[in-house]
Amino acid sequence: MSRLVAWYQRYEQCHALDRMLRRTPAQHWYRRRNAHRPAVLCFHGIEDPEAFEGQLRLLTRIAHPVTLAEFEAAVHEGAELPPHSVLLTFDDGDRSLLTEGLPLLRKYRVPAAAYVIPSLIGTDEPFWWEGLDEASAYEIKQLPDAERRRRLAARPRQAPRRQLDVADLRELAAGGVEIGSHTLSHPCLNRCEEAAVRTEIVEAHRLLTRQLGHPPTSFAYPNGDFDPRAERLLAECGYRSAFLCGNELAAPGLQHPLRATRLVVSTRTTNERLHTALSGLQPAMYRGGRAVVRGAVRGARTARRVLT
């Protein structure tokens, strides 16, 4: 297992640190300092509906949920967002967003955006990472995309998974969930050849336009990884926003519209972690810890090369 993956996993389980940070003066300072930097939260599925409802109660109490259109207006036209704005996004198009998430989003009147994989819509094909543990998925994501596909083709076929269909997309949209693109088949774009990047962006746009009845205007980079070739194609297709997973608050007016940053969370994220994530304190701590770990890993590798 990668040392970075192991560190991420330990960090995610460090609830005592979250409770401590939540009560420090730094939390209040970060919250005041970042009042006008919106938090864009990146969820995936709804693993725990009861916990998700608790998160929505908290978000509607301490933050101001905004729509994707409001966020894009702030990015492009300089429209002012309320202090402590938050935008909820959901990657991959897991059916639990429809079955478990949508009723709760409606109940609390919280808008959202969902980024789907058009080639899976209306199928029973599993996600390509189905059946892989976190470390194995991480390892495969680091491979050139052609090698990733070869590795996956050699695996046993995974159990079918019912995916969202076109009617489900329309139900989500009617419930206040804007639908965006998440590429045609969810590769890591920065591991793809030029032709594959074009297919993943342009063909996904064409297919999702047909499925929705109108062109999507927002995009989420798979794995949150930026790729400049994808950015150029997104601009050509008329996208107004695209999201990374840089684990920092967004900054409309300062960030490129096709490089907006998000905070990765899940329905298992504690309320203490949400408090410090929304303020910007937790992302700052996370980035600092990650830099230390990466520096230690590089130092260890250098030492091994010198000694051998």
Side-chain angles (χ1 to χ4, degrees):
M1 178 186 294
S2 157
R3 294 183 186 183
L4 281 173
V5 172
W7 181 80
Y8 294 155
Q9 290 176 339
R10 287 196 297 272
Y11 181 85
E12 287 303 310
Q13 296 167 0
C14 195
H15 302 313
L17 176 61
D18 292 328
R19 287 193 294 271
M20 181 189 73
L21 290 175
R22 166 79 176 83
R23 291 161 178 79
T24 62
Q27 164 67 8
H28 302 292
W29 184 83
Y30 269 86
R31 181 168 168 80
R32 288 195 302 272
R33 176 185 182 231
N34 293 321
H36 293 284
R37 289 191 64 179
V40 184
L41 303 182
C42 174
F43 291 86
H44 288 82
I46 309 296
E47 305 91 350
D48 186 335
E50 184 177 351
F52 183 55
E53 182 165 16
Q55 291 173 333
L56 292 178
R57 282 197 298 266
L58 175 67
L59 292 174
T60 54
R61 181 168 61 84
I62 70 169
H64 293 273
V66 297
T67 65
L68 176 63
E70 289 171 326
F71 179 87
E72 291 178 340
V75 170
H76 287 277
E77 287 90 48
E80 187 173 349
L81 292 172
H84 309 297
S85 291
V86 61
L87 171 62
L88 274 64
T89 68
F90 297 83
D91 284 8
D92 302 337
D94 192 278
R95 276 193 67 80
S96 61
L97 173 59
L98 175 73
T99 58
E100 306 290 348
L102 185 59
L104 293 171
L105 292 169
R106 280 174 164 161
K107 178 179 178 179
Y108 291 92
R109 299 181 180 180
V110 174
Y115 296 94
V116 302
I117 303 166
S119 67
L120 296 182
I121 298 302
T123 75
D124 62 359
E125 289 294 315
F127 297 120
W128 69 254
W129 55 89
E130 208 85 57
L132 295 173
D133 60 36
E134 187 172 357
S136 299
Y138 177 86
E139 178 187 355
I140 289 178
K141 287 176 182 178
Q142 307 314 304
L143 299 172
D145 192 60
E147 176 60 23
R148 177 188 69 90
R149 292 177 186 273
R150 282 193 290 271
R151 291 269 193 101
L152 294 175
R155 294 180 66 220
R157 181 171 175 78
Q158 301 300 302
R161 169 190 278 266
R162 183 184 174 193
Q163 299 285 354
L164 297 171
D165 59 28
V166 170
D168 296 331
L169 297 184
R170 291 173 181 168
E171 184 177 351
L172 285 167
V177 179
E178 185 78 17
I179 305 299
S181 177
H182 201 35
T183 68
L184 188 66
S185 66
H186 202 290
C188 293
L189 293 171
N190 59 344
R191 308 290 179 184
C192 292
E193 297 291 336
E194 184 88 28
V197 173
R198 174 169 288 277
T199 296
E200 290 290 336
I201 299 296
V202 175
E203 286 305 304
H205 183 74
R206 180 190 62 76
L207 183 55
L208 190 55
T209 297
R210 190 172 72 200
Q211 291 165 342
L212 296 176
H214 61 82
T217 64
S218 190
F219 178 86
Y221 294 89
N223 206 45
D225 294 330
F226 176 70
D227 185 272
R229 301 165 300 174
E231 182 184 71
R232 289 193 294 272
L233 292 166
L234 292 170
E236 290 174 12
C237 291
Y239 282 81
R240 286 175 55 80
S241 62
F243 292 95
L244 307 167
C245 290
N247 205 44
E248 61 180 297
L249 299 174
L254 299 177
Q255 292 176 331
H256 192 287
L258 301 181
R259 298 177 211 163
T261 50
R262 296 185 293 176
L263 305 170
V264 178
V265 296
S266 77
T267 60
R268 300 190 183 101
T269 300
T270 64
N271 280 355
E272 285 84 2
R273 173 68 60 86
L274 274 182
H275 269 286
T276 57
L278 293 172
S279 73
L281 173 58
Q282 181 270 337
M285 294 287 293
Y286 180 90
R287 291 194 302 275
R290 184 174 59 179
V292 169
V293 172
R294 283 181 166 168
V297 171
R298 284 196 296 268
R301 289 172 178 165
T302 301
R304 282 198 298 270
R305 284 197 297 270
V306 169
L307 293 172
T308 56

